Amino acid sequence: MDRRNFIRLSSLGTLITGSGLAASCVYKNADSEGEDFADIAVIGGTPAGIMAAISAARMGSKVILTEYHSHLGGMTTSGLGKSDIENKEAIAGLFKEFTEMVLHYYTEKYGKSSKEVLLCKEGYYYEPSVAELVFNQMIAKEKNIKVLFNYQIEEAEMKSEKISRLRFKDCSSGDTRFLNAEVFVDATYEGDVFALARAVYRLGREGKEEFNEAHAGHIFFDFNEKAFLEGGSGEEDSRLPAYTYRLCMTDDPANSYVLTEPPHGYDRNNYVEYFNDLKDGRLSAPKVFKEGHGYYSDHFDTMVRVFSFTEIPNRKYDVNINPRPLGFPFVGENYAYPESDWAARERIFQRHRELTLGLIYFVQNDPEIPEEHRNLAMKYHLPKDEFTDNEHFPWQLYIREARRLKGMYTLTENDVTLREDAQRTTVFEDTIITGEFPIDSFPVSKVPSKDNKVLEGYIGMYEISPYQIPYRILVPEKVLGLIVPVAASTTHVAYSTVRMEPLWMGIGQVAGIAAHMSRELQVEIKDVPVLQLQNILIKNHQILTYFKDIDRADKAFDAVQFWGTKGFFDSYLARTQEHLSTEDCKLWLGIFEEITNNPEITIDAELNNNDQAVSISVLQNTLQTMNKSDGKNLQPESWLYEKRALESNVLRGEACMAMYQLYQETELAKDKNT
């Protein structure tokens, strides 16, 4: 195997096993001075924050979850009505639990054969109100979670390099509140907690040379041909991809909230460039049609194409604002957002709201727009039964990228794409989840390419291969007692694939488990034992390693997931039903020796003299030489797919199971000796 594509742990501390010193659970109501106490504090009621709170609570920690708005769910409950996931086999865990509950809701309410069940796509598509209902149900099941709404974070108090407590403003009362916890989870889209804690972070785009990333920096990119255009310099800058609101709209007249007048601040000049887009064909059909990408043939070559529609249940649509036309008016409106105070952020929220409502009004009413286009646009309106306390408009602005932590590792474009002749993306020993969505960055500048094809900075759906995400990108370089599942340590290009809510839900699950382990073992976040963390994640159905040829029905699934993070496989094929070659067996045993810190494995002589396949008995004899386990429990019956003669060849999946079982025995023996 080419080990150039395998990255080992660095600076993650020593391996710690055993239960350690169990921290006493602390969970108090606010005292008379406005102070709250919890084992773990999760800041940000985003989908990642919700899953962090749930996973920590299920492990036994007392959790407080704070949210700036009066609703949970971030973008998933604010108009993003479809799960941004291309490969449903790549992300599971709590995200899968969420989709199953969505499917159950539609099935129970409308019937298994209903149109609503069909449109919910197995629970991956949903109305915002249904997503919020499901999140609330998930939270309500957990007795160890307390939710605090309308909490505006203002200060992080530090002792040495560790967060001691956070100060908030309770926007519902105006009171100052303090939140104490042993571990803090920054699940905000903005990275507000780590910024207040004075962690090092990035803002804007890296230059092409910094990490040798092909798509970094100033760039013009043809989204149809997936090719670079003339004029990109690759230089770094501080600009950010545009923010928008994601809309939920309906074509049901009985449920339509119709805009009868322009919004405050309306200026049609913000949108007139769209006439050139219509004339020049930039509102035409895409080159490639893909399900769920908002393509409706009757919208092509009309002004309605300034939006992208995806049908969801109950005559509603997830409506994105199409970033491909040159008239796209949102670029640059967000540059100051991440570093702004809350008053300035509120003004930015309002500006984006007015631009969005103005665009709807423009397309439906502007007399210069052809009448048939306006009539088509008038089919779609905000639904009366969504966002009922906000004039049917989403609560959460789509913060596609803000600050990004500078952590113990920086994930780059080179880690999420295939390098040279590699058949698999970078393998990380501390992998905690698989990512899979294309690189997708909204425009960064209003400057068009020389051929007027695209705005600068737009990298539209650049397809990549499934990739592994290392634990280290969640860990700040210096700030202690903090883990960061959302604004994690990546480059701008890598963030453009990581920034999807299904993946963030999975990373949030990791953060909650790691936070619990940190306090239970009384170790810092950076020293959480990764091997134990991975075992817990596997038991909770997290996908650590993606393969094309194996599913959960395979008895070796868990073992293959684990060894896929350790360098057993150099492609996306596990080939569990094929015979194990001598070459691969020796490679795997070497890795096994290394992670168990056991150099005393004696390789069976027959293995050294055999150039073909490995028998069951040879593998059994080799593994039983482990000096820290007598192997009594490692009988072939426990790791074979089916009982057969010991002289027969061992299968790759069986070898993975045998080594995984022995690894777990070895770790258990260490625990007993600790």
Side-chain angles (χ1 to χ4, degrees):
M1 175 183 177
D2 185 355
R3 300 305 286 268
R4 292 175 300 171
N5 204 36
F6 179 70
I7 294 186
R8 287 232 173 256
L9 300 178
S10 62
S11 303
L12 262 178
T14 56
L15 175 66
I16 300 172
T17 60
S19 59
L21 298 173
S24 60
C25 286
V26 180
Y27 193 22
K28 302 177 183 177
N29 292 325
D31 64 19
S32 58
E33 296 181 353
E35 200 145 8
D36 290 279
F37 300 82
D39 298 330
I40 296 170
V42 180
I43 314 307
T46 60
I50 292 168
M51 298 313 185
I54 290 172
S55 60
R58 289 183 181 178
M59 297 287 287
S61 288
K62 304 296 184 181
V63 182
I64 286 180
L65 171 63
T66 75
E67 167 54 33
Y68 176 72
H69 298 94
S70 57
H71 298 267
L72 292 175
M75 285 307 302
T76 301
T77 60
S78 281
L80 184 54
K82 69 184 184 69
S83 301
D84 283 326
I85 181 170
E86 300 280 286
N87 189 330
K88 292 179 180 178
E89 301 303 317
I91 304 175
L94 283 176
F95 167 68
K96 186 69 171 176
E97 184 176 323
F98 168 79
T99 62
E100 289 171 349
M101 290 181 67
V102 170
L103 175 60
H104 177 76
Y105 168 85
Y106 284 112
T107 303
E108 286 293 300
K109 185 165 184 176
Y110 299 103
K112 188 175 181 180
S113 301
S114 65
K115 183 179 180 182
E116 279 65 40
V117 168
L118 178 67
L119 288 174
C120 86
K121 307 284 186 182
E122 300 179 320
Y124 288 80
Y125 287 18
Y126 32 78
E127 299 158 84
S129 53
V130 172
E132 184 177 15
L133 174 67
V134 169
F135 279 140
N136 288 341
Q137 289 174 339
M138 294 178 76
I139 289 287
K141 289 179 181 178
E142 307 302 328
K143 63 181 180 180
N144 288 337
I145 299 176
K146 177 181 179 180
V147 181
L148 301 174
F149 290 107
N150 303 304
Y151 260 49
Q152 175 179 300
I153 188 168
E154 297 191 329
E155 182 185 12
E157 296 184 8
M158 310 293 291
K159 288 184 179 178
S160 298
E161 294 182 332
K162 188 164 186 171
I163 300 175
S164 60
R165 68 175 183 173
L166 300 177
R167 178 170 62 84
F168 294 84
K169 177 182 177 181
D170 181 346
C171 296
S172 60
S173 66
D175 295 339
T176 295
R177 313 291 292 185
F178 293 94
L179 180 52
N180 294 266
E182 293 184 57
V183 184
F184 294 87
V185 179
D186 185 348
T188 65
Y189 290 124
E190 299 88 353
D192 282 337
V193 181
F194 68 66
L196 289 170
R198 297 184 291 281
V200 181
Y201 58 86
R202 299 179 173 89
L203 189 60
R205 299 184 291 181
E206 293 79 11
K208 186 175 180 179
E209 302 303 321
E210 184 170 352
F211 292 98
N212 192 31
E213 296 177 296
H215 294 82
H218 182 273
I219 183 176
F220 292 102
F221 186 75
D222 187 329
F223 54 85
N224 272 321
E225 302 300 330
K226 308 303 179 189
F228 297 100
L229 297 172
E230 182 184 354
S233 68
E235 293 181 358
E236 66 177 288
D237 60 35
S238 60
R239 297 187 177 112
L240 296 168
Y243 299 169
T244 60
Y245 278 96
R246 192 74 167 234
L247 298 171
C248 180
M249 302 189 81
T250 181
D251 61 7
D252 180 2
N255 192 31
S256 290
Y257 177 77
V258 181
L259 297 181
T260 57
E261 59 183 13
H264 179 268
Y266 177 73
D267 182 355
R268 74 180 296 271
N269 291 321
N270 289 321
Y271 315 107
V272 294
E273 181 63 29
Y274 279 124
F275 288 115
N276 289 328
D277 290 310
L278 182 64
K279 180 184 67 175
D280 296 339
R282 288 184 291 272
L283 300 181
S284 297
K287 182 177 180 180
V288 178
F289 284 67
K290 273 195 169 184
E291 180 187 4
H293 286 205
Y295 301 147
Y296 287 87
S297 58
D298 58 345
H299 295 178
F300 299 149
D301 298 303
T302 77
M303 272 294 188
V304 179
R305 186 72 181 107
V306 304
F307 300 105
S308 297
F309 285 70
T310 299
E311 191 172 10
I312 59 177
N314 280 317
R315 297 188 66 174
K316 294 175 187 173
Y317 300 84
D318 166 322
V319 179
N320 200 3
I321 299 174
N322 186 352
R324 298 181 175 187
L326 302 187
F328 183 70
F330 297 89
V331 182
E333 299 287 344
N334 61 331
Y335 289 164
Y337 176 83
E339 305 284 55
S340 294
D341 61 22
W342 284 106
R345 285 183 177 181
E346 286 289 347
R347 291 192 291 271
I348 293 170
F349 295 155
Q350 184 64 25
R351 170 63 174 165
H352 282 78
R353 177 178 177 136
E354 291 171 356
L355 277 174
T356 304
L357 291 172
L359 181 56
I360 296 172
Y361 185 84
F362 172 78
V363 173
Q364 291 179 341
N365 296 281
D366 194 90
E368 192 176 340
I369 294 175
E371 183 179 7
E372 61 270 27
H373 297 193
R374 282 182 276 135
N375 290 339
L376 180 60
M378 284 297 292
K379 288 174 55 180
Y380 307 104
H381 304 280
L382 302 177
K384 291 180 180 178
D385 62 351
E386 297 288 349
F387 315 115
T388 56
D389 60 352
N390 197 39
E391 296 181 315
H392 315 292
F393 193 84
W395 306 292
Q396 174 67 56
L397 180 64
Y398 200 159
I399 311 298
R400 289 186 171 84
E401 181 182 322
R403 304 181 186 97
R404 304 186 310 281
L405 178 72
K406 190 172 187 293
M408 298 184 71
Y409 184 83
T410 299
L411 193 75
T412 74
E413 177 181 357
N414 298 317
D415 293 320
V416 303
T417 55
L418 291 174
R419 297 193 227 176
E420 301 173 357
D421 297 327
Q423 298 180 64
R424 186 173 196 101
T425 51
T426 305
V427 175
F428 292 102
E429 190 178 16
D430 60 331
T431 295
I432 40 86
I433 197 171
T434 291
E436 53 77 55
F437 200 79
I439 293 171
D440 186 38
S441 171
F442 263 39
V444 169
S445 165
K446 288 187 177 180
V447 177
S449 58
K450 291 182 179 180
D451 56 9
N452 283 332
K453 280 188 175 181
V454 67
L455 293 176
E456 193 275 314
Y458 179 52
I459 309 172
M461 298 296 287
Y462 181 73
E463 294 188 2
I464 58 178
S465 299
Y467 57 90
Q468 294 184 337
I469 293 180
Y471 177 68
R472 284 164 290 170
I473 75 167
L474 315 184
V475 183
E477 281 186 327
K478 292 184 178 180
V479 175
L480 304 177
L482 177 66
I483 188 166
V484 183
V486 178
S489 180
T490 78
T491 62
H492 157 71
V493 179
Y495 200 78
S496 299
T497 164
V498 170
R499 64 170 187 85
M500 305 302 159
E501 299 291 1
L503 183 54
W504 270 339
M505 288 192 212
I507 301 175
Q509 181 176 2
V510 174
I513 293 171
H516 171 84
M517 293 176 68
S518 172
R519 58 170 300 275
E520 182 184 67
L521 299 174
Q522 292 291 278
V523 298
E524 293 297 338
I525 286 292
K526 66 183 179 63
D527 295 322
V528 165
V530 169
L531 296 178
Q532 288 186 22
L533 174 61
Q534 289 173 325
N535 280 327
I536 294 171
L537 291 170
I538 289 170
K539 289 176 183 177
N540 283 274
H541 304 304
Q542 189 88 297
I543 303 298
L544 304 187
T545 314
Y546 173 76
F547 294 98
K548 296 178 180 179
D549 61 343
I550 186 173
D551 59 30
R552 203 168 293 280
D554 192 311
K555 186 179 176 182
F557 185 84
D558 288 356
V560 168
Q561 287 292 304
F562 180 78
W563 295 120
T565 71
K566 303 296 177 281
F568 273 30
F569 308 96
D570 59 4
S571 77
Y572 291 104
L573 299 176
R575 298 170 19 233
T576 58
Q577 303 298 318
E578 294 182 17
H579 295 155
L580 177 65
S581 69
T582 300
E583 180 183 5
D584 280 345
C585 186
K586 290 180 177 179
L587 171 66
W588 292 6
L589 286 170
I591 295 170
F592 184 86
E593 284 182 347
E594 190 171 348
I595 75 158
T596 57
N597 193 28
N598 180 64
E600 300 183 26
I601 292 180
T602 301
I603 297 179
D604 189 281
E606 186 178 335
L607 184 60
N608 283 321
N609 297 325
N610 187 346
D611 294 329
Q612 302 301 317
V614 180
S615 70
I616 296 171
S617 61
V618 166
L619 182 63
Q620 174 78 359
N621 292 338
T622 296
L623 293 180
Q624 281 192 314
T625 64
M626 286 288 296
N627 68 325
K628 295 180 182 178
S629 173
D630 60 15
K632 288 181 180 179
N633 296 324
L634 191 68
Q635 298 304 313
E637 292 81 6
S638 65
W639 49 267
L640 293 177
Y641 285 115
E642 58 184 7
K643 188 175 181 179
R644 59 188 188 278
L646 296 181
E647 291 74 28
S648 50
N649 292 329
V650 68
L651 302 181
R652 290 165 60 89
E654 294 171 333
C656 285
M657 286 189 281
M659 293 186 195
Y660 190 50
Q661 183 178 333
L662 186 53
Y663 155 73
Q664 291 177 312
E665 282 188 29
T666 304
E667 294 305 303
L668 182 61
K670 289 180 182 178
D671 287 353
K672 290 179 178 178
N673 293 329
T674 301

